[in-house]
């Protein structure tokens, strides 16, 4: 009966593996696997080799905890970037998003998660101690908390705030406000309220 | 600059590979790769191993051209299924869809594509000759054309029709009509017209 449904066990295995990825159902998995079957063998081997290499050889930057090929990632190793400002983010996707803006020339600290008691993630499961050590070492003047504005993000922000307060470092968060191009009437009240409270000098907006 | 954007070349390679799959953009690719990085190594090796095995060892059934682990696929090898009816489909996904209905007990013929001059796919690029040979051998009484109702599907149907006509085999196509559960007022005119022309004896619907 099982065989009847998938005429090939090899095919079924590959589909099962793909279907375990997040957001990929069995139909999509089958479509992807059939696509790969239509490619040259070498094309598929490039994919599998890249994945195998990644999980075998990946390491995490000893400074900022970002995914890296070496002990110190290229961002931390870059002497053109100031180590006086650290931007605390949840994961490497946030690093890439901020890098894309080309507005930030400090360094990062990748927590690798946020505090979430519901998911059993406590402060010791993410790289907060590493952050405290970095600040303790001296040289850091400002820490930007760039976590998402969820309950978990707020909790993590507050935990970090209490841990870093003794070191007299300046703690900031991302500006929240009406998105560029958005119409005021569609902005939610909290955001609009906050964007009035933290209004910016008009002159300062002329340079960006 | 390139390095700046992705702090890890290994990560970038894996993302690039995933982003080449159909329907997967760079953001999704990154999400999938980061998900795999959070799994056990062995989990990733299962995925890559399944893919490698598939492309190395896959073969196509000598009878019906379906993906198979052996020379003859389990459906063709199943003696409980009649070889007197062949259902011609574009690819193995259609086989799985029809199998899921549990309404069909004949065998299949998988073309592996449809005639599409726009994409440079002619009759010799798909398994039509194999189908003609099967019918020529004798024993086949009916061929069901189950291709999609696109211009390419119609072209392929007509080509097969002309090729098989000399053998006096019965050629049928899937019934088209208003889908079960659909409201008449939302059915398109062509489908509704066809479902009136090819109306079914009420008694025959009572058994399914």
């Amino acid at each position: 009966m099982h065989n009847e449904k998938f005429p090939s066990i090899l095919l079924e295995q590959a589909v099962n593996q793909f279907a375990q990825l997040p957001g990929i159902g069995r139909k999509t998995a089958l479509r992807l696997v059939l696509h790969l079957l239509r490619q040259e063998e070498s094309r598929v081997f490039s994919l599998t080799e890249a994945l195998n290499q990644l999980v075998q050889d990946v390491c995490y930057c000893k400074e900022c905890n970002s995914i890296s090929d070496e002990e110190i990632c290229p961002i931390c190793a870059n002497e053109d970037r100031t180590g006086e400002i650290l931007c605390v983010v949840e994961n490497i996707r946030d690093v890439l998003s901020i890098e894309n803006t080309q507005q930030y020339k400090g360094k990062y600290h990748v927590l690798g998660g946020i505090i979430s008691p519901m998911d059993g993630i406590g402060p010791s499961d993410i790289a907060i101690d590493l952050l405290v050590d970095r600040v303790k070492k001296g040289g850091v003047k400002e820490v930007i908390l760039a976590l998402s504005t969820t309950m978990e993000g707020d909790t993590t922000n507050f935990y970090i705030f209490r841990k870093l307060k003794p070191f007299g470092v300046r703690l900031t968060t991302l500006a929240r406000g009406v998105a560029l191009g958005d119409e005021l009437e569609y902005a939610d009240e909290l955001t609009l309220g906050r964007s009035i409270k933290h209004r910016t000098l008009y002159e300062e907006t002329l340079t960006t």
Side-chain angles (χ1 to χ4, degrees), chain A:
Chain A
M1 187 62 200
H2 201 241
N3 263 5
E4 281 290 306
K5 290 210 167 172
F6 262 85
S8 156
I9 294 167
L10 291 174
L11 178 67
E12 187 169 13
Q13 280 173 346
V15 170
N16 287 343
Q17 289 293 336
F18 261 104
Q20 285 177 42
L21 294 174
I24 295 194
R26 290 189 67 79
K27 283 213 171 183
T28 307
L30 179 60
R31 194 163 53 83
L32 293 176
V33 171
L34 291 179
H35 170 85
L36 285 173
L37 260 182
R38 283 194 302 269
Q39 311 298 306
E40 306 258 317
E41 275 193 17
S42 62
R43 170 72 195 76
V44 176
F45 295 149
S46 307
L47 168 69
T48 56
E49 187 54 25
L51 278 181
N52 284 346
Q53 262 194 24
L54 176 67
V55 294
Q56 274 166 344
D57 299 339
V58 74
C59 58
Y60 293 87
C61 174
K62 284 194 168 177
E63 293 276 328
C64 73
N65 193 41
S66 168
I67 293 169
S68 172
D69 297 337
E70 283 154 83
E71 288 208 337
I72 305 294
C73 78
I75 293 179
C76 286
N78 183 343
E79 304 211 337
D80 291 341
R81 303 184 73 124
T82 173
E84 293 185 345
I85 313 178
L86 297 185
C87 182
V88 177
V89 293
E90 186 179 338
N91 57 44
I92 196 172
R93 276 188 285 171
D94 302 326
V95 173
L96 297 173
S97 300
I98 296 175
E99 283 300 285
N100 274 339
T101 69
Q102 300 186 320
Q103 294 291 319
Y104 181 62
K105 293 299 166 207
K107 296 188 174 172
Y108 292 93
H109 191 85
V110 181
L111 291 179
I114 45 177
I115 298 174
S116 172
M118 293 282 282
D119 302 314
I121 302 171
S124 57
D125 298 313
I126 59 180
I128 292 184
D129 287 345
L130 193 67
L131 172 66
V132 176
D133 286 345
R134 264 178 111 176
V135 173
K136 207 181 273 177
K137 260 191 239 158
V140 178
K141 291 186 177 161
E142 178 176 351
V143 170
I144 306 172
L145 299 168
L147 305 179
S148 41
T149 47
T150 56
M151 207 169 68
E152 288 82 8
D154 289 344
T155 307
T156 312
N157 280 340
F158 191 66
Y159 186 89
I160 293 174
F161 167 71
R162 287 202 315 179
K163 281 277 183 182
L164 295 186
K165 222 181 152 190
F167 303 103
V169 70
R170 189 174 170 225
L171 280 155
T172 55
T173 64
L174 294 184
R176 307 287 173 174
V178 182
L180 290 172
D182 265 15
E183 312 247 359
L184 283 202
E185 65 177 306
Y186 301 119
D188 68 280
E189 288 162 29
L190 275 178
T191 304
L192 193 55
R194 215 164 139 171
S195 72
I196 291 176
K197 196 170 164 202
H198 301 291
R199 59 196 176 277
T200 318
L201 259 184
Y202 176 66
E203 271 178 77
E204 282 180 14
T205 65
L206 297 176
T207 51
T208 48

